[in-house]
Amino acid sequence: MDHFSKEQRTRIMAAIRSNGTRPEILVRHYLWRQGFRYRVNLGRLPGHPDIVLRKYRTCIFVNGCFWHGHDCGAFRLPKTRVDFWRSKIERNKQRDKEVQQRLATMGWHCITVWECQLKKPMRDQTLKDLAFTLNHLYLRDHAVGYRRLEEEWGGSMAAEPDRGE
């Protein structure tokens, strides 16, 4: 049984924001301080990712554990209208999977940051891991092979000792 009237419950549910949430702002502020530049809720991409880093060809989704059915201690299925909530959350999970597959086929990397990973004890490590992952993706995607560089240059690199050729 719901403790609120239908009108009160409607007001409560309508007040829940889909973007500009506290976890999303935490991630955005961290990325900005680390020198990452991004766009927010880019509508031209499937699923309207929360954060889009074009230079890194990466979309970041900051998901709430309840709305996206994360398998963690923060997620609990409501005791009322169980069938409705179960199907809604399953639809959300399926949609998330489809959106990320579409983005991957377009050449985008997708990263999901969960709300529970941004709680105090894990926040710093989660954000550091995010920055590391972004840098790793950039280097992997933009790497110029050493041998190819050597062939184009025709000699050894400036910081390398001569190999006696």
Coordinates of all heavy atoms in Angstrom, one line a residue, residues 93-123:
K93 N 16.6 -1.6 -19.0 CA 17.9 -2.3 -19.2 C 18.0 -2.7 -20.6 O 19.1 -2.6 -21.2 CB 17.9 -3.5 -18.3 CG 18.1 -3.2 -16.8 CD 17.8 -4.3 -15.9 CE 18.9 -5.3 -15.8 NZ 18.6 -6.3 -14.7
Q94 N 16.9 -3.2 -21.3 CA 17.0 -3.6 -22.6 C 17.3 -2.4 -23.5 O 18.1 -2.5 -24.5 CB 15.7 -4.2 -23.1 CG 15.7 -4.8 -24.5 CD 16.7 -5.9 -24.7 OE1 17.0 -6.7 -23.8 NE2 17.3 -5.9 -25.9
R95 N 16.6 -1.3 -23.3 CA 16.9 -0.1 -24.1 C 18.3 0.4 -23.9 O 19.0 0.8 -24.9 CB 16.0 1.1 -23.6 CG 16.1 2.3 -24.5 CD 15.3 3.5 -24.0 NE 15.9 3.9 -22.7 CZ 15.2 4.0 -21.6 NH1 13.9 3.7 -21.5 NH2 15.8 4.4 -20.5
D96 N 18.9 0.3 -22.7 CA 20.3 0.7 -22.5 C 21.2 -0.1 -23.3 O 22.1 0.4 -24.0 CB 20.7 0.5 -21.0 CG 20.0 1.5 -20.1 OD1 19.5 2.6 -20.6 OD2 20.0 1.3 -18.9
K97 N 20.9 -1.4 -23.4 CA 21.8 -2.4 -24.1 C 21.7 -2.0 -25.6 O 22.7 -2.0 -26.3 CB 21.3 -3.8 -23.9 CG 22.2 -4.8 -24.5 CD 21.7 -6.3 -24.2 CE 21.6 -6.6 -22.8 NZ 21.2 -8.0 -22.5
E98 N 20.5 -1.8 -26.1 CA 20.3 -1.5 -27.5 C 21.0 -0.2 -27.9 O 21.6 -0.1 -29.0 CB 18.8 -1.4 -27.9 CG 18.1 -2.8 -27.8 CD 16.6 -2.6 -27.9 OE1 16.1 -1.5 -28.0 OE2 15.9 -3.7 -27.8
V99 N 20.9 0.8 -27.1 CA 21.5 2.1 -27.3 C 23.0 2.0 -27.4 O 23.7 2.5 -28.3 CB 21.1 3.2 -26.3 CG1 22.0 4.4 -26.3 CG2 19.6 3.6 -26.5
Q100 N 23.6 1.3 -26.5 CA 25.0 1.1 -26.4 C 25.5 0.3 -27.6 O 26.6 0.6 -28.2 CB 25.5 0.5 -25.1 CG 25.3 1.4 -24.0 CD 26.0 1.0 -22.7 OE1 26.8 0.1 -22.7 NE2 25.7 1.7 -21.6
Q101 N 24.7 -0.7 -28.1 CA 25.1 -1.4 -29.3 C 25.1 -0.5 -30.5 O 25.9 -0.6 -31.4 CB 24.2 -2.7 -29.5 CG 24.4 -3.8 -28.5 CD 23.4 -4.9 -28.5 OE1 22.3 -4.7 -29.1 NE2 23.7 -6.0 -27.9
R102 N 24.0 0.3 -30.6 CA 23.9 1.2 -31.7 C 25.1 2.2 -31.8 O 25.7 2.5 -32.8 CB 22.6 2.0 -31.7 CG 21.5 1.2 -32.2 CD 20.1 1.9 -32.1 NE 20.1 3.1 -32.8 CZ 19.2 4.1 -32.6 NH1 18.3 4.0 -31.6 NH2 19.3 5.2 -33.3
L103 N 25.5 2.7 -30.6 CA 26.6 3.6 -30.5 C 27.9 2.9 -30.9 O 28.8 3.5 -31.6 CB 26.7 4.2 -29.1 CG 25.7 5.3 -28.8 CD1 25.6 5.6 -27.3 CD2 25.9 6.6 -29.5
A104 N 28.1 1.7 -30.5 CA 29.3 0.9 -30.8 C 29.4 0.7 -32.3 O 30.5 0.8 -32.8 CB 29.3 -0.4 -30.0
T105 N 28.3 0.4 -32.9 CA 28.3 0.2 -34.4 C 28.7 1.6 -35.1 O 29.2 1.5 -36.2 CB 27.0 -0.3 -35.0 OG1 25.9 0.6 -34.7 CG2 26.7 -1.7 -34.4
M106 N 28.4 2.7 -34.5 CA 28.7 4.0 -35.0 C 30.2 4.4 -34.7 O 30.6 5.5 -35.1 CB 27.8 5.1 -34.5 CG 26.3 4.9 -34.9 SD 25.2 6.0 -34.0 CE 25.7 7.6 -34.5
G107 N 30.9 3.5 -33.9 CA 32.3 3.8 -33.6 C 32.5 4.5 -32.3 O 33.6 5.0 -32.0
W108 N 31.5 4.6 -31.5 CA 31.6 5.2 -30.2 C 31.9 4.2 -29.1 O 31.4 3.1 -29.1 CB 30.3 6.0 -29.8 CG 30.1 7.2 -30.6 CD1 29.5 7.3 -31.9 CD2 30.5 8.5 -30.3 NE1 29.5 8.5 -32.3 CE2 30.1 9.4 -31.4 CE3 31.1 9.1 -29.2 CZ2 30.3 10.7 -31.4 CZ3 31.3 10.5 -29.2 CH2 30.9 11.3 -30.3
H109 N 32.7 4.6 -28.1 CA 32.9 3.8 -26.9 C 31.8 4.3 -25.9 O 31.5 5.4 -25.8 CB 34.3 4.1 -26.2 CG 35.4 3.9 -27.2 ND1 35.9 2.6 -27.5 CD2 36.2 4.7 -27.9 CE1 36.9 2.7 -28.3 NE2 37.1 3.9 -28.6
C110 N 31.4 3.3 -25.1 CA 30.3 3.6 -24.1 C 30.9 3.2 -22.7 O 31.4 2.1 -22.5 CB 29.1 2.9 -24.4 SG 28.3 3.4 -25.9
I111 N 30.7 4.1 -21.8 CA 31.1 3.9 -20.4 C 29.9 4.1 -19.5 O 29.2 5.2 -19.7 CB 32.2 4.8 -19.9 CG1 33.5 4.5 -20.8 CG2 32.5 4.6 -18.5 CD1 34.6 5.5 -20.5
T112 N 29.6 3.2 -18.6 CA 28.5 3.4 -17.7 C 29.1 3.6 -16.3 O 29.8 2.8 -15.8 CB 27.5 2.2 -17.7 OG1 27.0 2.0 -19.0 CG2 26.4 2.4 -16.7
V113 N 28.7 4.7 -15.7 CA 29.1 5.0 -14.3 C 27.8 4.9 -13.4 O 26.8 5.5 -13.7 CB 29.7 6.4 -14.1 CG1 30.0 6.7 -12.6 CG2 30.9 6.6 -15.0
W114 N 27.8 4.0 -12.4 CA 26.6 3.8 -11.6 C 26.6 4.7 -10.4 O 27.7 5.0 -9.9 CB 26.6 2.3 -11.2 CG 26.4 1.4 -12.3 CD1 27.3 0.7 -13.0 CD2 25.1 1.1 -12.9 NE1 26.7 -0.1 -14.0 CE2 25.4 0.2 -14.0 CE3 23.8 1.5 -12.7 CZ2 24.4 -0.3 -14.8 CZ3 22.8 1.0 -13.5 CH2 23.1 0.1 -14.5
E115 N 25.4 5.0 -10.0 CA 25.2 5.9 -8.9 C 25.9 5.4 -7.6 O 26.5 6.2 -6.9 CB 23.7 6.1 -8.7 CG 23.3 6.9 -7.5 CD 21.8 6.9 -7.3 OE1 21.1 6.0 -7.8 OE2 21.3 7.8 -6.6
C116 N 25.9 4.1 -7.4 CA 26.5 3.6 -6.2 C 28.0 3.7 -6.2 O 28.6 3.7 -5.1 CB 26.0 2.1 -6.0 SG 26.6 1.0 -7.3
Q117 N 28.6 3.7 -7.4 CA 30.0 3.9 -7.5 C 30.5 5.3 -7.2 O 31.7 5.5 -7.0 CB 30.5 3.5 -8.9 CG 30.3 2.1 -9.3 CD 30.6 1.8 -10.7 OE1 30.3 2.7 -11.6 NE2 31.1 0.7 -11.0
L118 N 29.5 6.2 -7.0 CA 29.9 7.6 -6.7 C 29.6 8.0 -5.3 O 29.7 9.1 -4.9 CB 29.1 8.6 -7.7 CG 29.5 8.4 -9.2 CD1 28.6 9.2 -10.0 CD2 31.0 8.8 -9.4
K119 N 29.3 7.0 -4.5 CA 29.2 7.2 -3.0 C 30.5 7.4 -2.4 O 31.6 7.0 -3.0 CB 28.5 6.0 -2.4 CG 27.1 5.7 -2.9 CD 26.1 6.7 -2.4 CE 24.7 6.3 -2.9 NZ 23.7 7.3 -2.9
K120 N 30.6 8.1 -1.3 CA 31.8 8.5 -0.7 C 33.0 7.5 -0.7 O 34.1 7.9 -1.2 CB 31.6 9.0 0.7 CG 31.4 10.4 0.9 CD 32.7 11.2 0.7 CE 32.5 12.6 1.2 NZ 33.1 13.6 0.4
P121 N 32.8 6.3 -0.2 CA 34.0 5.5 -0.1 C 34.6 5.1 -1.5 O 35.9 4.9 -1.6 CB 33.5 4.2 0.6 CG 32.1 4.3 0.8 CD 31.6 5.7 0.3
M122 N 33.8 5.0 -2.5 CA 34.4 4.6 -3.8 C 34.5 5.7 -4.8 O 35.1 5.5 -5.9 CB 33.4 3.6 -4.4 CG 33.2 2.3 -3.6 SD 31.9 1.2 -4.3 CE 32.4 1.0 -6.0
R123 N 34.1 6.9 -4.5 CA 34.0 8.0 -5.5 C 35.4 8.3 -6.1 O 35.5 8.3 -7.4 CB 33.4 9.2 -4.9 CG 33.3 10.4 -5.8 CD 32.8 11.7 -5.2 NE 31.6 11.4 -4.5 CZ 31.1 12.1 -3.5 NH1 31.8 13.1 -3.0 NH2 30.0 11.8 -2.9

